[in-house]
Amino acid sequence: MKLTFFKEETLAVKESWRFFREKVREYEDHTGRLAYLFWDTLRFSFRRPFEWDTVLEYLEKLGVKSHGIVMLTFFFLGMVITVQVAFSRSNFAGRAIVGAAVAAGLVKEFGPLLTGLLVGGRVGSGMTAVIGSMSVTEQIDAIRSLGASPIKKLVVPRFLATLVMMPVLTIMGDFWGMVGGLVVAKLNLRMSTFQYINPAINALAISDITVGIVKSVFFAIIISMVGCYNGFSVRHGAEDVGNSTTNTVVASFILIMISDFFLTKLFVIFIGG
């Protein structure tokens, strides 16, 4: 009886170890393919002909149409931070630092992070859905049969548009967050615009703004690469498109959160903030 139990337990451990190794190999395979796609995208980005009309079209699709949701989200985020800072301290202390707290929180951390999550959810999933549908209907094979590169036609315009619009949306989000905080400061705290803006300007350095922009560029690479990669991975019908779209949202969120931690650590080490 004891010998049988020992054998079953050993088989269960072996099966778990085999499953773990397969998952590791699967993730290694995905990482390698993703890195290869990124390298090809960089190569084709500098190769003629440059399709600026297509890039402009995606700048409008990816960036301009995302501005509304970014504006609304950051406007209320600025209001929330202002309320938290003002009423979590004594009345005088809260008023003195509220502008600085909103500016520092948005520009250094919440601005690029929240913009990355919003764009990853909206734009990244859209890239997967469109490219995945083209894969299912064999349009990508048709592009290859004409002698053109699907990466040049489909990935490069989306990559360049995301690379341009992510820093722009991050700066716009920071601005609307400051406006939201100012509204609460004036209506609820009876502060003047100068009392709110002056500490905010003093709290920010050029390096803080640079950190936010550099982070947004890294997040743009993650969003565009994961979105396009999962689109090319679609093989079977509409259900596979839906699964890949979900994978894009989850993977983008996780990679953005992980990279945000390591980027923050690097900036703290090299520039002190």
Side-chain angles (χ1 to χ4, degrees), residues 22-37:
E22 286 178 358
K23 281 294 175 187
V24 170
R25 285 173 187 163
E26 190 178 321
Y27 283 121
E28 285 177 349
D29 184 53
H30 284 305
T31 304
R33 289 170 184 268
L34 198 58
Y36 190 72
L37 175 64

Side-chain angles (χ1 to χ4, degrees), residues 188-257:
N188 284 27
L189 306 177
R190 306 297 178 191
M191 291 172 63
S192 67
T193 304
F194 178 80
Q195 287 176 312
Y196 177 81
I197 294 294
N198 192 49
I201 295 173
N202 291 333
L204 290 178
I206 296 297
S207 60
D208 297 329
I209 300 170
T210 306
V211 167
I213 293 174
V214 171
K215 280 185 177 181
S216 68
V217 170
F218 271 91
F219 298 160
I221 294 171
I222 290 172
I223 292 165
S224 56
M225 288 298 99
V226 172
C228 294
Y229 173 77
N230 281 329
F232 281 114
S233 301
V234 173
R235 291 290 180 271
H236 313 288
E239 187 178 350
D240 202 14
V241 174
N243 293 334
S244 294
T245 303
T246 305
N247 291 338
T248 294
V249 175
V250 174
S252 297
F253 279 24
I254 293 173
L255 290 174
I256 286 173
M257 296 299 289

Side-chain angles (χ1 to χ4, degrees), residues 150-186:
I151 294 176
K152 177 73 176 174
K153 290 284 184 187
L154 302 176
V155 180
V156 170
R158 290 173 170 83
F159 172 73
L160 294 178
T162 314
L163 215 57
V164 171
M165 290 312 298
M166 264 297 292
V168 175
L169 288 171
T170 300
I171 293 170
M172 294 302 296
D174 295 340
F175 170 76
W176 285 113
M178 290 298 297
V179 172
L182 178 62
V183 170
V184 174
K186 289 183 78 69

